[in-house]
Amino acid sequence: MHMWETIKGSFEYGHPGFTGLSALIKIVYLMLAFGPGLASILTWMERRQSSLMQDRLGPNRANIGRFKAWGITHFLADALKFMVKEDFVPVKAHKFLFALAPVLALAPALIVAAIIPFGAPLCWGHLTEIVPTGTCGQAVDLQIARLDVGILFYFAISSLSVYGATLAGWSSYNKWAMMGGLRASSQMMSYEVTMGMAVLSMFLIYGTLEPGAMVAQQGYWPWQWGIWGIPTALSFFLFLTAAIAETKRTPFDIPEGEPEIIGYFVEYSGLRFGMFFLGEFIEIVFSSALMVTIFLGGWHLPFLDGLADRVPNIAFVLITHGAWIVKVFLFTGFQLLIRWSLPRFRSDQLMQLGWQRLLPVSIANVLITAGWILYSR
Amino acid sequence: MPTLYYLYLSFALFFIGTAGVLLRRNALIVLMAIELQLNAGNLALLAFSRSLGDLKGHVFAFFVIALAAAEAAVGLAILVGMYRTRQTINLDEVATMKR
Amino acid sequence: MHQLHTQTVGLPATITFAILAGLTVIGALFTITRRNPVVAVISLVGTFFALAGVYASLSAHFLAILQILVYAGAIMVLFIFVVMILNRDEITRVAARGMVRRGLGVVAAGYVVWLLASVVANSSATPLLGGPLSEPGADFGTVASVGASLFTDFMFPFEAVSLLLLVAVVGGLVVSRSEKQEDDAEETARRRAQVATEIRPESMVGGPTDATANHEAAHH
């Protein structure tokens, strides 16, 4: 039967079913298991570790039977709470757009994971053999899509999350929500420009937009990573600042503003609010993953140098994947730390910082990098 | 897919855009219909670029996108100015220069 | 013309094109027929997404991503901002006044499009437009190749477009100034012109304040 042969053939390299099946497995793993999983752990860290840092206890009561584990099951409790809460839609709200806004906040955060490389290439058919780097004929990249336009895909999809905030504010039929939505979207638009300009100098240095090629150009040791060098370190800080502003985290979280000013999701309850909430944390995870890819060497770690020649391929792939997970986790922890330490910017300070301070610096950075490349090559 | 079908799609989009410009009175919808017309032109450019194997069509489409951005910005600024003075965005009511 | 379908192109490509083209046309129709401008903007964003898919099927990868990045991600956000600031539903979708004239205009536009379609579908154009397409080169439509073409053959139009964008930014700022901002700007310009042309050394005997008092008095 044609169907059975397609399924059997999907396990051979080169068969179109193989590409589809491997992509599907990668999508399910990265976008449905790893992303939301790490985001949920971060929600727990956000509340528990921040409270320990601020010398208070924080939520530590959630338990499954007698298993308390420092309140780590709070994220399950939160999820359950969001699902069973009453779904309240304001009477005059625009029903379609009210329902669409959380989707437009959550979906772009997940879709950008498609270009992120999360491990060394897997050599299909030679999994238990030792495969030195670059000698594999049947390489399966641990990257969902190897697009030529690479990082532009990230910018294109993350510019759609602006619609989530704007529509949420507008469709709630609430003046305060709408003003919050306009604040949020103007903030996101401003910092998108700086994000693009900051990464532009990295494109000049790498000569490519494709994240897999960027990781391949970086080496195992920290001085071979993307962050080494004056213009690149400046790009890193500019991009980090802009990404934190883009995800509306403190110190740029005026749009959320709880509890001083009303944000754009004031009329959302239950799972709809849960989608905004989870979407923000997933954005943190994948923007950290992107920064790790461009600036911090992707899945490279110093002690892995030469390891590809000594251990079987599957072990090497798992180790590099573990290294990537550790790096992303540390970086997300760093972003959470920033939230717990810094006070919030006022709206006008925020816009001034974006347009009058960061944007000229990032443009100057591009010029400096271009000049440096011209004279050194 | 043969180029012909892409051209049919381009014509359909252009016709829908023109109908929008002629029939709607809300200035915002008219501006959006103009963007539809520009996109129809882009699609035709890219379809021919593919069938002729020439990249000039892509470069031309790039410039069309940049121009559309500039035109949308200025058009919306004019719209905001118009709303400020006439308190309406209905094109029928701003058809004369008389206040 | 009946040889132009799945025999030259595989079934998956045909189905993909049919879905994307259908979404594009439906999105475009929704855009021009919705009464609520925000819904119209969102359906136009959906149209641009489907159109980006069509561009990708034409091997125009860079343009497809640019379509989403610039059109759907920036221009449409600008539209949504303006819609929210103006925030008015249209009372009547299509005004009755002048309907016949406009209806005839639409019919004329339809006729022109019909003529174009008949020219293109002419049997003498079929070999050029209806036949199978040759495989494009590996770097057709990639960022590198379009960029190379843009920065070598089309350098002058590129710089001209950047100047155009600057003009658009400044023009947008000037056109959308409120009356108070315009009056303030005019006042500042007038004052600067006065000070630049009329201050004289002998009137500065008592210091700068004396001079300004003098020429304020002279002009009132």
Side-chain angles (χ1 to χ4, degrees):
Chain A
M1 284 191 297
H2 191 58
M3 177 82 93
W4 176 242
E5 269 151 29
T6 312
I7 297 178
K8 252 193 348 187
S10 301
F11 290 96
E12 304 163 11
Y13 190 82
H15 193 271
F18 181 79
T19 330
L21 188 66
S22 61
L24 196 62
I25 292 177
K26 282 183 269 189
I27 288 175
V28 167
Y29 172 65
L30 198 61
M31 289 189 195
L32 297 181
F34 177 74
L38 185 56
S40 311
I41 305 271
L42 286 179
T43 58
W44 168 71
M45 270 176 65
E46 173 89 21
R47 299 159 81 182
R48 186 89 174 107
Q49 308 307 321
S50 70
S51 52
L52 291 178
M53 196 167 119
Q54 294 163 358
D55 203 21
R56 54 187 171 91
L57 278 180
N60 59 351
R61 299 290 175 113
N63 57 343
I64 302 177
R66 283 184 27 179
F67 176 67
K68 256 203 202 170
W70 313 285
I72 203 170
T73 47
H74 259 285
F75 77 87
L76 291 170
D78 275 340
L80 201 61
K81 175 189 75 168
F82 283 139
M83 280 192 266
V84 301
K85 257 193 174 178
E86 176 191 7
D87 179 30
F88 182 76
V89 176
V91 173
K92 285 187 147 185
H94 192 284
K95 292 193 183 35
F96 175 65
L97 295 179
F98 193 79
L100 185 65
V103 174
L104 285 179
L106 178 61
L110 285 170
I111 295 176
V112 294
I115 51 159
I116 296 182
F118 53 93
L122 192 72
C123 203
W124 191 252
H126 306 289
L127 286 178
T128 48
E129 303 161 12
I130 296 178
V131 179
T133 334
T135 62
C136 186
Q138 296 183 331
V140 175
D141 285 319
L142 281 192
Q143 189 183 6
I144 296 176
R146 205 179 178 91
L147 296 177
D148 172 64
V149 294
I151 310 281
L152 283 186
F153 178 81
Y154 174 84
F155 287 127
I157 300 295
S158 67
S159 64
L160 294 177
S161 48
V162 180
Y163 287 110
T166 322
L167 285 178
W170 185 84
S171 62
S172 305
Y173 203 75
N174 181 335
K175 282 195 180 71
W176 309 113
M178 190 170 112
M179 282 163 57
L182 283 176
R183 261 197 320 264
S185 43
S186 59
Q187 172 186 326
M188 292 169 90
M189 289 296 292
S190 321
Y191 283 90
E192 259 166 35
V193 189
T194 307
M195 253 184 11
M197 282 301 204
V199 186
L200 200 57
S201 56
M202 298 310 294
F203 295 161
L204 286 174
I205 292 180
Y206 284 127
T208 175
L209 284 171
E210 214 275 296
M214 283 185 185
V215 169
Q217 281 186 32
Q218 297 175 65
Y220 286 97
W221 296 93
W223 51 86
Q224 294 169 320
W225 290 351
I227 199 176
W228 190 254
I230 303 288
T232 46
L234 186 60
S235 307
F236 172 68
F237 284 112
L238 287 170
F239 189 76
L240 178 64
T241 314
I244 294 179
E246 189 69 19
T247 56
K248 300 189 288 298
R249 300 276 302 165
T250 323
F252 301 99
D253 66 346
I254 275 278
E256 296 173 21
E258 11 127 5
E260 287 104 16
I261 47 178
I262 302 182
Y264 55 89
F265 35 65
V266 64
E267 295 283 357
Y268 283 86
S269 60
L271 200 54
R272 297 187 208 262
F273 175 73
M275 284 168 82
F276 279 114
F277 190 56
L278 192 65
E280 184 188 313
F281 278 96
I282 292 180
E283 264 187 59
I284 296 177
V285 169
F286 287 128
S287 66
S288 305
L290 188 76
M291 277 187 266
V292 162
T293 302
I294 302 180
F295 295 105
L296 294 176
W299 43 261
H300 291 288
L301 264 189
F303 70 89
L304 297 179
D305 195 4
L307 197 66
D309 305 322
R310 292 201 296 268
V311 297
N313 181 253
I314 186 81
F316 181 62
V317 165
L318 286 174
I319 292 176
T320 53
H321 182 51
W324 181 81
I325 291 182
V326 166
K327 276 197 204 176
V328 171
F329 182 71
L330 287 176
F331 208 80
T332 53
F334 177 62
Q335 284 198 17
L336 257 57
L337 265 175
I338 293 178
R339 179 185 189 165
W340 308 331
S341 324
L342 292 179
R344 179 180 293 158
F345 278 116
R346 250 186 7 239
S347 273
D348 61 315
Q349 289 173 333
L350 196 150
M351 299 301 274
Q352 193 188 40
L353 182 73
W355 288 106
Q356 291 181 2
R357 311 274 166 83
L358 291 185
L359 186 62
V361 172
S362 54
I363 295 177
N365 188 21
V366 173
L367 291 174
I368 294 173
T369 313
W372 177 63
I373 292 180
L374 200 61
Y375 285 116
S376 70
R377 291 188 193 176
Chain B
M1 209 62 218
T3 316
L4 200 56
Y5 293 142
Y6 289 103
L7 289 181
Y8 286 158
L9 180 61
S10 165
F11 294 155
L13 276 179
F14 188 79
F15 174 63
I16 296 175
T18 316
V21 169
L22 289 173
L23 290 177
R24 293 297 301 262
R25 297 295 90 198
N26 190 338
L28 280 162
I29 310 282
V30 168
L31 279 171
M32 284 195 268
I34 295 177
E35 300 292 336
L36 269 176
Q37 291 174 311
L38 282 166
N39 273 284
N42 256 356
L43 179 59
L45 273 170
L46 289 173
F48 278 118
S49 172
R50 171 79 166 87
S51 84
L52 296 174
D54 195 350
L55 273 180
K56 292 201 190 72
H58 287 197
V59 174
F60 203 148
F62 175 89
F63 287 133
V64 169
I65 292 183
L67 271 157
E71 168 240 329
V74 176
L76 287 170
I78 293 177
L79 196 85
V80 167
M82 182 174 95
Y83 182 74
R84 202 174 270 139
T85 49
R86 305 288 182 108
Q87 271 78 48
T88 180
I89 50 173
N90 191 333
L91 288 176
D92 279 337
E93 298 174 20
V94 298
T96 63
M97 299 257 253
K98 208 152 69 132
R99 280 289 196 98
Chain C
M1 274 224 319
H2 286 290
Q3 62 267 33
L4 306 172
H5 48 89
T6 55
Q7 288 170 1
T8 54
V9 157
L11 188 61
T14 314
I15 293 185
T16 316
F17 177 75
I19 294 177
L20 289 171
L23 282 174
T24 313
V25 171
I26 291 175
L29 283 171
F30 266 50
T31 308
I32 64 164
T33 54
R34 292 303 100 189
R35 193 170 45 163
N36 190 340
V38 177
V39 179
V41 170
I42 296 298
S43 44
L44 193 58
V45 172
T47 310
F48 287 156
F49 250 93
L51 211 49
V54 175
Y55 291 174
S57 77
L58 280 170
S59 306
H61 311 295
F62 183 46
L63 263 302
I65 284 291
L66 270 189
Q67 172 88 353
I68 300 180
L69 185 59
V70 175
Y71 248 121
I75 298 181
M76 286 298 119
V77 174
L78 189 59
F79 266 97
I80 258 196
F81 261 84
V82 175
V83 167
M84 289 188 187
I85 292 174
L86 302 185
N87 202 19
R88 277 240 188 131
D89 282 352
E90 191 174 335
I91 312 294
T92 51
R93 196 178 307 176
V94 178
R97 199 184 76 189
M99 187 58 186
V100 172
R101 214 181 329 140
R102 280 186 265 130
L104 281 179
V106 173
V107 168
Y111 178 62
V112 167
V113 167
W114 176 256
L115 279 179
L116 285 169
S118 60
V119 162
V120 154
N122 194 353
S123 54
S124 63
T126 302
L128 179 65
L129 296 175
L133 296 170
S134 55
E135 275 298 305
D139 60 346
F140 184 79
T142 55
V143 183
S145 52
V146 177
S149 185
L150 200 56
F151 281 103
T152 50
D153 298 326
F154 295 96
M155 192 59 193
F156 176 70
F158 183 75
E159 297 294 339
V161 162
S162 51
L163 192 62
L164 175 93
L165 287 172
L166 176 68
V167 168
V169 167
V170 174
L173 276 172
V174 168
V175 167
S176 61
R177 274 199 289 209
S178 66
E179 253 192 81
K180 180 181 180 305
Q181 283 170 318
E182 278 207 41
D183 291 341
D184 288 346
E186 224 167 296
E187 180 68 28
T188 321
R190 190 179 63 81
R191 202 168 282 167
R192 281 207 195 116
Q194 257 183 0
V195 170
T197 56
E198 284 159 8
I199 216 163
R200 293 185 198 83
E202 56 264 39
S203 64
M204 298 208 24
V205 162
T209 40
D210 218 19
T212 40
N214 273 343
H215 91 264
E216 290 271 300
H219 288 275
H220 284 278

